[in-house]
Amino acid sequence: MAVYTDISEDDLTRFLADYEAGTLLSYKGIAEGVENSNFLLHTTKGAFILTLYEKRVDPNDLPFFLGLMHHLADHGLNCPLPLSRRDGELLGELSGRPAAMISFLEGMWLRKPAAKHCREVGRALADMHLAGHGFALTRKNALSVDGWRPLWDKSAGRADEVEPGLQDEIAEELDYLESHWPKTLPHGVIHADLFPDNVFFIGDQLSGLIDFYFACNDAFAYDVAICLNAWCFEKDGSFNMTKGMALLDGYEQVRPLNGAELRSLPLLARGAALRFFLTRLYDWLTTPPGALVVKKDPLEYLRKLRFHRQVKSAEEYGLVHR
């Protein structure tokens, strides 16, 4: 979450008049994240999240994102729900941007997750994969292997400013991944961005998943690989196998991975690391001064990518055969 577009109290008050959401008491921007502008609202009827969808979000994707939240909630997953306007629509407009009101999910994201939390995340991810079955809309993953080279081309010319030799290294990595990427793994709706700040806990109990604005149709095991990257590395860059074991065990308690998925996991984790390196690199080089957003270090994911290159099997992530 982030703030790219500012809003005035008068405009917000007029916007709220189209909802049964009460009278505005206070609002503030939420600085975390890199994609949309988000605000925490307090009204006479409670707390809500207001999201303004920025230019990087295709308006044609919004029915998928908002409809998916309803579908997942209807199938037992704890997640926020978009509020309907008085006219029945889920989307309005504010400050020249498509905008939605989203229910507030209780809980906090964990700054220092432990293995027990990784196990809960694994279970919740598998629950989401199963709950997404039957969702009628589909969305291609624009940030999978076919989208990495066009994204890289936007940053390649300046990559060596970040680290000398980076341009050649990433070009070789792209060549390898494009020629080896698996195409026939089990697939369906995935979250594609299940980082710690998108998972809420109350104490040690997982209370829900948020931020479905990268959700798409892709391989389930790729979503697992994203979570290995997001949850199982320590601040010093080392991989925590205890966390990896817990995450994979939690996932497989709900949805066991098949042989092809397990064999592909190191390559998928490598690709997931590259995907987040590329988007972080682009944002690092192009985010305008003064934006209320925290830029994230692309080199963190370069180090993870280099780690995954050395991994030969899922057992090195902590997989325990059942």
Side-chain angles (χ1 to χ4, degrees), residues 4-8 11-12 14-15 37 39 50-57 59 62 91-100:
Y4 290 98
T5 300
D6 201 5
I7 57 176
S8 71
D11 287 344
L12 179 54
R14 285 191 289 271
F15 177 82
S37 293
F39 300 84
L50 167 66
T51 297
L52 277 64
Y53 300 100
E54 297 294 343
K55 293 179 181 179
R56 269 169 54 167
V57 177
L62 294 177
L91 276 173
E93 184 175 300
L94 181 59
S95 297
R97 299 283 189 268

Side-chain angles (χ1 to χ4, degrees), residues 145-159 166-167 170-172 174-175 178 274 277-279 281-282 285-286:
V145 61
D146 293 338
W148 295 339
R149 190 172 294 276
L151 182 57
W152 167 240
D153 288 342
K154 296 177 182 179
S155 303
R158 297 180 59 194
L166 194 54
Q167 186 169 2
I170 298 304
E172 291 177 8
L174 275 168
D175 288 343
E178 287 171 345
L274 179 66
F277 165 78
L278 290 174
T279 51
L281 178 66
Y282 178 81
L285 295 172
T286 62

Side-chain angles (χ1 to χ4, degrees), residues 42-166:
H42 289 277
T43 78
T44 52
K45 289 193 175 181
F48 302 91
I49 299 296
L50 167 66
T51 297
L52 277 64
Y53 300 100
E54 297 294 343
K55 293 179 181 179
R56 269 169 54 167
V57 177
D58 184 346
N60 294 322
D61 287 335
L62 294 177
F64 177 91
F65 299 142
L66 300 177
L68 177 61
M69 286 187 252
H70 275 288
H71 177 89
L72 294 175
D74 288 344
H75 288 78
L77 193 80
N78 281 348
C79 63
L81 286 174
L83 274 66
S84 296
R85 292 159 34 109
R86 296 181 192 273
D87 62 6
E89 298 295 324
L90 296 177
L91 276 173
E93 184 175 300
L94 181 59
S95 297
R97 299 283 189 268
M101 290 278 289
I102 311 293
S103 64
F104 182 78
L105 185 69
E106 293 290 344
M108 296 178 61
W109 71 272
L110 300 175
R111 272 63 176 177
K112 296 181 179 180
K116 59 186 175 183
H117 305 119
C118 293
R119 180 171 282 105
E120 291 299 309
V121 170
R123 289 194 191 107
L125 183 68
D127 285 338
M128 182 198 154
H129 290 166
L130 296 181
H133 180 72
F135 182 53
L137 301 180
T138 60
R139 177 178 179 265
K140 181 181 178 181
N141 186 359
L143 290 172
S144 188
V145 61
D146 293 338
W148 295 339
R149 190 172 294 276
L151 182 57
W152 167 240
D153 288 342
K154 296 177 182 179
S155 303
R158 297 180 59 194
D160 284 3
E161 297 175 21
V162 178
E163 183 177 294
L166 194 54

Side-chain angles (χ1 to χ4, degrees), residues 185 221 248 252 257-266 313-314 319 321:
L185 298 177
L248 292 171
E252 290 208 293
L257 295 160
N258 70 23
E261 290 175 304
L262 293 173
R263 288 189 295 274
S264 298
L265 198 56
S313 71
L319 176 73
H321 289 286

